[in-house]
Amino acid sequence: MKVLITGASGNLGRAVLGRLRDDRISVRATSRRPPAGSDVEWVVSDLATGDGLTEAVTGVDAVLHLASAPRRRQTYQVDVLGTRRLVVAAGTAGVRHIVYISIVGVDRVPIPYYRHKLAAEQVIAAGPVPWSVLRATQFPQFLDDMLTASARLGPVIGDRAVLAQPVDPREVAARLAARLVAGPLGGVEELGGPQVLRFDEAARAWRAARGSRRPLLPVRIPGRLGRELRAGGLATEALPRGVRTWADHLADTYGGTGRK
């Protein structure tokens, strides 16, 4: 089997590359800016324009579609229209399976980026290529970055009742690799981390691991967004779950246990 990985230069992409190579699966990686000096086969392509997509999908059996643009003005162009371009090119090339990485909560939490991810899921489901969608919960690095940003003015600011379920990207990579081997699901599966944490619990562990005394300043998120986040819109009850905890991430990152 030969697999094309879009967005292979991102955090998840690097984890997936390593996992597939460990499993001795032949890979081709694509990015707008491939890294120099890599021994992986890279193809330059751009989902926003379609440039290079035909070359990228030619001769591969499956596509792992990880590329996204969450912080760019081109989110719709990349995540929705770009996914459509990729699916059409893959269908023409005779690709037998496309696996798309999405996010737990895209169908519940009213965030504009999530609407685009849900629309991309629908594009894949309506396309000519047999498909699978894996929705994962947030990566611990995302929660870490959010806490860092919220503390820039001094206290850690956030809605303490918001629920999160961080999952290690290496475990997501392993599930994606397993799905490739198992073949098209024709549906959506979910993967979450081992623990559902309140924001204040996660923040306390983060402060302990960093040796920080910053206070927590609770700010309630209003409206439907806040209600969904507090009700567990970013969490899943799906089994099996990942095993690496938030405390494991904090220990790896800061050397503290995060258990105070």
Side-chain angles (χ1 to χ4, degrees):
M1 181 193 310
K2 185 160 190 174
V3 179
L4 173 71
I5 306 172
T6 72
S9 59
N11 289 334
L12 179 58
R14 292 191 294 271
V16 168
L17 269 176
R19 177 67 192 219
L20 294 189
R21 297 185 77 188
D22 287 345
D23 291 346
R24 300 186 181 278
I25 294 175
S26 178
V27 298
R28 174 185 295 160
T30 181
S31 175
R32 292 182 303 126
R33 299 184 185 88
S38 172
D39 59 351
V40 175
E41 178 190 356
W42 285 87
V43 174
V44 177
S45 69
D46 190 344
L47 289 167
T49 63
D51 293 344
L53 289 182
T54 298
E55 294 80 3
V57 299
T58 298
V60 302
D61 302 296
V63 175
L64 274 180
H65 183 24
L66 313 179
S68 186
R71 297 181 180 88
R72 294 168 52 195
R73 294 180 181 178
Q74 287 186 301
T75 299
Y76 180 76
Q77 186 72 13
V78 170
D79 285 74
V80 183
L81 299 185
T83 295
R84 182 174 292 123
R85 295 182 186 100
L86 177 65
V87 169
V88 169
T92 301
V95 172
R96 298 195 295 270
H97 188 191
I98 183 165
V99 183
Y100 181 60
I101 186 66
S102 189
I103 305 169
V104 167
V106 291
D107 54 343
R108 301 189 298 275
V109 179
I111 296 174
Y113 174 57
Y114 281 20
R115 289 200 297 270
H116 295 316
K117 295 292 286 186
L118 182 60
E121 289 184 11
Q122 294 164 348
V123 167
I124 287 171
V129 182
W131 59 279
S132 306
V133 170
L134 175 63
R135 292 178 183 168
T137 55
Q138 306 295 329
F139 295 159
Q141 293 89 342
F142 174 84
L143 182 55
D144 197 340
D145 291 344
M146 186 177 67
L147 285 162
T148 299
S150 73
R152 284 177 181 165
L153 299 179
V156 180
I157 302 171
D159 188 328
R160 55 189 173 190
V162 164
L163 300 177
Q165 189 180 1
V167 63
D168 191 282
R170 290 166 292 186
E171 294 174 333
V172 177
R175 178 66 71 86
L176 290 168
R179 174 46 55 195
L180 278 172
V181 173
L185 177 66
V188 177
E189 59 181 350
E190 296 187 338
L191 176 64
Q195 300 168 300
V196 177
L197 300 170
R198 282 172 49 117
F199 180 85
D200 53 358
E201 294 173 324
R204 282 196 297 269
W206 179 80
R207 289 184 303 177
R210 291 164 54 102
S212 171
R213 297 181 179 275
R214 294 176 183 269
L216 175 62
L217 177 61
V219 176
R220 189 175 176 86
I221 299 173
R224 181 188 164 203
L225 175 60
R227 291 193 299 272
E228 292 289 351
L229 293 176
R230 289 186 291 273
L234 298 180
T236 178
E237 297 181 352
L239 297 174
R241 298 181 178 182
V243 298
R244 287 188 57 80
T245 65
W246 175 233
D248 291 331
H249 166 78
L250 294 174
D252 290 344
T253 306
Y254 301 108
T257 65
R259 299 184 187 278
K260 292 182 181 179

